[in-house]
Amino acid sequence: MTQSPSTSAPATAQDGPLPRQRRTYSIGELAKMFEVTTRTIRFYEQEGLLAPERRGQTRIYDEKDRVRLKLTLRGKRLGFSLAEIREVVMMYDAMPDGNRRQLRRLIEILTDKRRNMERQLEDIRLMQLELDDVERRAREVLASLGDSD
């Protein structure tokens, strides 16, 4: 029995490129990869931040979904709202390299976040000073009562 050249010969440059395999992920793989629950991933899907392919009841996530989840989780860690995350993710989808308008908007969002964080840091510093003062006074009162702790 002979084999046809298309099944027995390796692909060459003349044959054209081999079809590229798309990397896909299950919900469990993504959950493990990013150390989140599958419920978290389904929530982001409901919010429109992820759009996996469906095969029956099975969700099939591609590389784009993986990147979107990564951006979403990073945004949450930085204190972004879901609306801000959605805006940034949509910018990424529209043009991964960005354009002037998108990049300016991203810088605006980051500037606002930075200002808020600086305010929060100042609030924390003030709260620490107040706590230090209350503790100092409490220790002074204890000392005046003869308690040396």
Side-chain angles (χ1 to χ4, degrees):
M1 187 176 247
T2 61
Q3 293 181 326
S4 68
S6 63
T7 58
S8 63
T12 64
Q14 297 164 346
D15 296 333
L18 292 173
R20 196 167 163 207
Q21 293 293 320
R22 263 184 23 181
R23 173 69 166 107
T24 60
Y25 306 88
S26 70
I27 193 169
E29 287 174 316
L30 286 180
K32 188 174 183 178
M33 184 182 297
F34 291 104
E35 298 178 343
V36 296
T37 63
T38 56
R39 184 177 180 183
T40 297
I41 294 172
R42 286 191 299 271
F43 172 75
Y44 291 138
E45 184 182 336
Q46 288 173 338
E47 291 296 315
L49 293 166
L50 303 172
E53 179 184 329
R54 298 283 227 166
R55 291 189 193 139
Q57 293 293 315
T58 305
R59 293 168 168 87
I60 308 295
Y61 297 87
D62 60 17
E63 189 61 23
K64 181 178 175 181
D65 292 310
R66 188 191 69 78
V67 170
R68 289 176 76 141
L69 180 58
K70 183 178 179 179
L71 290 171
T72 299
L73 294 171
R74 185 173 293 156
K76 287 305 290 177
R77 275 195 317 273
L78 293 172
F80 283 45
S81 69
L82 282 179
E84 290 167 328
I85 291 169
R86 187 176 296 104
E87 187 176 358
V88 171
V89 167
M90 296 306 168
M91 280 187 232
Y92 173 81
D93 283 349
M95 187 170 261
D97 295 332
N99 66 32
R100 279 192 181 116
R101 184 178 56 80
Q102 291 169 330
L103 293 171
R104 283 185 184 126
R105 178 61 186 136
L106 178 58
I107 289 169
E108 286 174 13
I109 292 171
L110 294 172
T111 300
D112 283 347
K113 285 291 157 209
R114 184 170 282 114
R115 275 192 207 117
N116 286 337
M117 289 174 65
E118 287 167 358
R119 276 193 293 269
Q120 289 173 331
L121 278 171
E122 184 57 26
D123 289 344
I124 290 169
R125 279 189 216 104
L126 290 173
M127 180 63 81
Q128 286 177 321
L129 290 173
E130 290 177 25
L131 290 172
D132 290 345
D133 186 50
V134 169
E135 181 181 9
R136 182 187 50 76
R137 285 189 277 153
R139 289 184 184 280
E140 287 172 358
V141 170
L142 273 176
S144 72
L145 296 173
D147 194 344
S148 61
D149 231 5

